[in-house]
């Protein structure tokens, strides 16, 4: 029902070219169903509390908040670009768009979808496999907005780009499906921080997908910080596609939420690639946090390392 209500909005906003992909993802979700503890990859996480909750789409909610409420989430000592999304929609008035090196792009995925199809089509929904992952299929079916970062060949972005996804819970449980696409061209360097927060109490679902395209010889750092409220459900999936001789460092910090599932799937597709996966989770009470790693050494002479620690 939510999908059918949103379709006319997508058509009016110039997103119609993506509609066959959305419909394919929705159909695949219907075939897959949501995973259960009988699925090997999900045997530690019972999704019953999540899938039994009726969520309404937050896509039609206003994206206006008091900017003072976002102050606690500013990165200390970081005065670079900050992209703020409220209930899944880009909030320009709350964002800080600093001067970036020539050719670097950092902004709303929805705006790029409508105005620059050529920049997205080679990568968007091309790497993360919604044919196998139910939550990726759900995200792709409702792909509307999120962040798009592009770094051209040989360019170094000195300061991290901060992407803040904030949810304002309401009387009913709401769901958002933010999508992040980062494309680092050959020989470039960039760091991206994705942060998920709640502005108030109440149940909500954040179902996020991030696609990182790391060109040959590029150096990319990605940080995810999840500190949503104790009623929140959070599923985030990261898919990395690494070129020859590239370096990707992934950091995950899980602090909030009632039920959190973090999927990390780098593919070392080019020879000599390196990937480091670091994680910290801090949970108490009835919080449930599950991190799942799938690392593909698809080419020779690649190296990956994993270090996860928890405080309970």
């Amino acid at each position: 029902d939510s999908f059918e209500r949103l379709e006319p909005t997508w058509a009016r906003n110039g997103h119609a070219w993506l509609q066959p992909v959305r419909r394919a993802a929705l159909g695949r979700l219907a075939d897959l169903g949501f995973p259960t503890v009988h699925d090997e990859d999900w045997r530690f996480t019972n999704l019953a509390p999540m899938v039994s909750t009726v969520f309404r789409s937050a896509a039609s909610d206003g994206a206006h908040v008091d900017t003072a409420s976002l102050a606690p989430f500013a990165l200390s000592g970081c005065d670079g670009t900050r992209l703020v999304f409220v209930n899944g929609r880009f909030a320009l008035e709350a964002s800080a768009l600093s001067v970036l090196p020539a050719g670097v792009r950092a902004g709303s995925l929805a705006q790029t979808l409508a105005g620059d199809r050529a920049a997205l089509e080679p990568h968007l929904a091309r790497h993360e496999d919604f044919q196998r992952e139910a939550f990726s299929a759900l995200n792709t079916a409702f792909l509307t907005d999120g962040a798009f970062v592009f770094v051209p060949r040989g360019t170094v972005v000195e300061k991290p780009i901060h992407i803040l996804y904030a949810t304002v819970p309401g009387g009913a449980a709401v769901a958002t499906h933010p999508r992040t696409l980062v494309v680092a061209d050959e020989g470039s360097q960039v760091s991206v921080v994705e942060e998920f927060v709640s502005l108030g109490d109440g149940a909500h679902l954040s179902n996020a997908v991030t696609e990182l395209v790391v060109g040959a010889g590029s150096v990319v750092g990605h940080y995810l910080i999840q500190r949503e409220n104790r009623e929140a459900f959070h599923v985030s999936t990261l898919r990395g596609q690494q070129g020859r001789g590239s370096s990707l460092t992934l950091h995950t910090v899980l602090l909030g939420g009632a039920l959190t599932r973090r999927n990390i799937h780098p593919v070392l597709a080019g020879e000599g690639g390196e990937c480091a996966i670091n994680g910290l989770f801090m949970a108490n009470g009835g919080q449930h946090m599950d991190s799942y790693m799938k690392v593909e050494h698809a080419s020779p002479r690649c190296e990956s390392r994993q270090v996860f620690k928890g405080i309970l």
Side-chain angles (χ1 to χ4, degrees), residues 233-279:
F233 300 103
H234 179 96
V235 180
S236 58
T237 300
L238 182 143
R239 172 66 154 79
Q241 186 75 14
Q242 293 188 236
R244 183 183 181 94
S246 63
S247 176
L248 176 62
T249 305
L250 305 172
H251 306 272
T252 295
V253 179
L254 304 179
L255 306 174
L259 188 155
T260 296
R261 166 73 177 213
R262 174 67 168 155
N263 301 310
I264 301 172
H265 181 190
V267 177
L268 295 111
E271 185 174 350
E274 297 180 352
C275 181
I277 306 172
N278 302 313

Side-chain angles (χ1 to χ4, degrees), residues 283-304:
N284 60 35
Q287 285 183 287
H288 182 96
M289 297 177 177
D290 181 8
S291 294
Y292 177 80
M293 273 69 67
K294 177 181 179 181
V295 184
E296 291 190 49
H297 285 242
S299 288
R301 287 176 285 281
C302 293
E303 180 180 336
S304 65

